[in-house]
Amino acid sequence: MLETSLKIKLFGDPVLRKKALPISKVSAEHREILSLMAKSMYEDSGIGLAAPQVGVSAQLIVVDIGEGLYKLANPKIIKKQGKQAIQEGCLSVPGICVKVKRAKTVWVQAWDEFNQPIELVAKDLFACVLQHEIDHLKGKMIVDYAPLLEKLRIKKKLAKLKEKTKTWKYTI
Ligand code: NI
């Protein structure tokens, strides 16, 4: 049985580095996971979330940049065009921002939650979020895009964050 609320996995959790498995058919359980992912995303004021971030190594993502919720299975980028660089945050790397160079427009093929094939043409922020979430399915995170010195700074900051979280866990 699934929990009613999913916990967001943080940087350092091995599930975030695993390649997510493709879905052969979106099942009722997958639909439930997608709904819970959307709930978690909204609760944490995110605009996208990938299944590995809730500990599920499957190719499922949810995205809502304020123009409607997309629940996608097996999303694939089939074409890219142009360039953009946006400061990105990630629910699994709280408090960290990395400027990531990505394509400005992407064409994405996926299935919706009822196994219907869909194709999206996404621009600007929507394109950025889709690329970010599809990266998660490959085990890639924003930290990987940071220059070396920045990476070291981020790792230090995240180590401190983990210590803090540990303390909070036992605070009643
Ligand atoms: Ni993320």
Side-chain angles (χ1 to χ4, degrees):
M1 207 179 85
L2 281 167
E3 293 169 40
T4 49
S5 188
L6 300 169
K7 208 167 168 241
I8 306 281
K9 302 287 178 186
L10 297 179
F11 186 84
D13 192 308
V15 72
L16 292 169
R17 290 309 195 177
K18 270 170 77 177
K19 278 196 177 163
L21 293 171
I23 307 282
S24 56
K25 186 175 183 279
V26 186
S27 65
E29 196 190 5
H30 291 133
R31 281 189 284 280
E32 194 177 346
I33 291 168
L34 284 163
S35 292
L36 290 170
M37 282 168 61
K39 192 175 159 237
S40 296
M41 173 180 76
Y42 291 129
E43 274 172 6
D44 288 335
S45 308
I47 53 175
L49 195 67
Q53 291 183 274
V54 294
V56 178
S57 194
Q59 292 187 13
L60 297 169
I61 64 169
V62 293
V63 175
D64 186 352
I65 59 157
E67 294 169 1
L69 174 62
Y70 288 86
K71 294 172 176 171
L72 305 175
N74 302 326
K76 263 180 202 70
I77 296 167
I78 53 159
K79 193 179 156 191
K80 294 179 178 186
Q81 207 170 60
K83 282 177 191 159
Q84 62 174 335
I86 296 176
Q87 290 278 358
E88 297 181 18
C90 177
L91 292 175
S92 294
V93 197
I96 303 291
C97 258
V98 178
K99 196 171 188 178
V100 183
K101 285 180 192 159
R102 300 193 188 273
K104 192 167 173 64
T105 308
V106 289
W107 283 256
V108 172
Q109 275 181 352
W111 297 346
D112 69 11
E113 62 177 323
F114 300 106
N115 295 290
Q116 296 304 303
I118 45 171
E119 191 171 321
L120 299 166
V121 184
K123 288 183 194 332
D124 305 316
L125 182 62
F126 191 26
C128 169
V129 180
L130 283 169
Q131 288 171 90
H132 178 120
E133 302 314 331
I134 292 170
D135 266 359
H136 272 302
L137 301 181
K138 295 173 184 163
K140 196 164 184 182
M141 300 178 78
I142 52 170
V143 176
D144 305 337
Y145 290 93
L148 187 60
L149 283 176
E150 180 74 2
K151 242 181 229 170
L152 293 173
R153 199 186 60 81
I154 291 172
K155 280 194 178 153
K156 260 189 199 165
K157 199 171 168 184
L158 288 172
K160 269 187 202 158
L161 193 91
K162 255 183 224 159
E163 281 165 27
K164 260 192 195 166
T165 315
K166 223 177 175 179
T167 319
W168 292 340
K169 199 177 161 185
Y170 300 106
T171 306
I172 302 168

